[in-house]
Amino acid sequence: MIATITLNPSIDRGYSVKELKKNGVYRCGDYSLTAGGKGLNVSRVLNQLNVKIMCLGFLGGHSGEFIKSKLEDLDICVNFTKIASETRTCIGIVDHDDSQIEILEQGPQIYEYELKDFINKFQHILKQSKIIIASGSIPRGVNTDIYKYLINCSNQNNVKFILDSSGIPLIEGIKAGPYLIKPNKKELESIVKKKINTDLDIVEACESLINMGAKNVAVSLGKDGMIFVGEEGRYKVNIPKIEVLNPVGSGDSTVAGFGAGLLQKLDIKEILRLANACGMSNAMEKETGKINVKTVNELMKNIKIYKIR
Ligand code: ADP
């Protein structure tokens, strides 16, 4: 089983308007409402890949109930910690030429007894899991070294931990030795505090993250595929051109593919093929955190993996 951790989930509300203007008033008939948060995207993709999963994290109020019911509709098992405050809502407004505004709430306050409840659930689920995947930001009241703590627990139990976060929680987490981190190029630049131009720059940056503690680093590069540096070598993943509909959530889908491949004990090259095909398939769908398994299988045939010397 894979356990996913989403500490700061959200309801994502999306509006489409004609033209975004300062001081504009928009009347919208239609809008989208989805259970959002990077970890929930990972969970939905794992579910489509037929992987047995359990979702952990914090949910509160009506928004929390909505997210829980959306996941249960998909037969996804959940064991969230119920919190006193309301789960956040994030708003995205897009206009006809794809200009957009995003309003991201910081997230609810988590109280100490709620954090304790989450940790108890995590310790319990850890014993039944082969892999843990933690994604995204952390809500108020949770220490920035939370991922570091969870990774230490996982390593003590020989459970592989995949961390896809950013900022201080990611940097602190790396120090505990996660099995894998998956920054994109921008996130990599912000961790190593350097501009990255070439593949060699990426490899060097990955190596510095490995020196900090990460066991494997997969840098996703959008349409340019991926560079992987880790225990089983260094690889460049070349992907074919695709028709992109919505690339939001492609990184999360890639992480899900990686986790699924790892669970099946695939060879590293096959894992990289599956991970990238999941990211690509998500980019070809309108919905976030959605893949088409048939498309994934087709895409995998045309992904080329090269060893970097
Ligand atoms: P993130 O969402 O974390 O920024 P990326 O945008 O790098 O992650 O996407 C993750 C993976 O999804 C890429 O490594 C690639 O395999 C696939 N992907 C994303 N965008 C595209 C695109 N425009 N064309 C083809 N593949 C894409």
Side-chain angles (χ1 to χ4, degrees), residues 97-304:
D97 65 14
D98 283 343
S99 298
Q100 56 176 322
I101 291 179
E102 272 190 285
I103 300 166
L104 309 177
E105 287 179 22
Q106 198 182 357
Q109 176 73 33
I110 305 298
Y111 298 106
E112 211 173 315
Y113 69 92
E114 295 168 337
L115 184 60
K116 273 197 186 134
D117 179 78
F118 163 75
I119 301 274
N120 282 341
K121 285 185 161 61
F122 170 75
Q123 299 282 14
H124 180 71
I125 296 294
L126 193 54
K127 308 244 171 330
Q128 304 159 34
S129 306
K130 293 264 187 299
I131 298 168
I132 307 283
I133 303 182
S135 314
S137 63
I138 55 176
R140 284 173 293 158
V142 175
N143 261 333
T144 49
D145 63 358
I146 180 77
Y147 289 137
K148 186 176 177 185
Y149 173 79
L150 301 177
I151 293 164
N152 278 330
C153 296
S154 300
N155 286 346
Q156 280 159 18
N157 285 274
N158 285 322
V159 175
K160 293 190 164 83
F161 198 107
I162 300 179
L163 177 61
D164 186 15
S165 185
S166 55
I168 297 170
L170 171 62
I171 292 172
E172 286 297 310
I174 292 172
K175 293 179 193 163
Y179 180 79
L180 175 78
I181 55 170
K182 191 226 65 71
N184 60 25
K185 198 168 138 206
K186 220 168 108 198
E187 288 159 351
L188 187 64
E189 285 180 334
S190 104
I191 318 172
V192 297
K193 299 191 178 65
K194 259 193 226 162
K195 190 100 195 97
I196 285 170
N197 298 308
T198 63
D199 286 358
L200 185 63
D201 291 345
I202 296 176
V203 172
E204 281 176 5
C206 290
E207 269 159 5
S208 73
L209 299 187
I210 288 172
N211 285 334
M212 270 170 73
K215 298 197 178 74
N216 298 283
V217 184
V219 182
S220 66
L221 303 166
K223 65 174 176 28
D224 296 321
M226 179 180 278
I227 287 184
F228 173 86
V229 179
E231 290 164 327
E232 288 173 76
R234 308 157 167 188
Y235 297 93
K236 172 90 202 261
V237 182
N238 280 358
I239 59 176
K241 208 172 157 25
I242 51 164
E243 198 146 320
V244 174
L245 261 184
N246 174 18
V248 179
S250 283
D252 305 331
S253 308
T254 303
V255 166
F258 209 107
L262 205 56
L263 190 70
Q264 290 172 53
K265 294 195 164 57
L266 298 181
D267 153 73
I268 183 65
K269 288 189 182 176
E270 278 307 289
I271 294 180
L272 293 175
R273 268 193 199 97
L274 177 60
N276 279 268
C278 288
M280 294 168 76
S281 175
N282 175 79
M284 293 163 80
E285 299 284 332
K286 205 165 158 236
E287 258 176 70
T288 302
K290 177 148 193 261
I291 56 164
N292 177 322
V293 176
K294 219 170 131 208
T295 310
V296 168
N297 290 329
E298 281 307 308
L299 288 167
M300 281 179 74
K301 293 178 195 156
N302 295 312
I303 294 176
K304 304 260 181 306

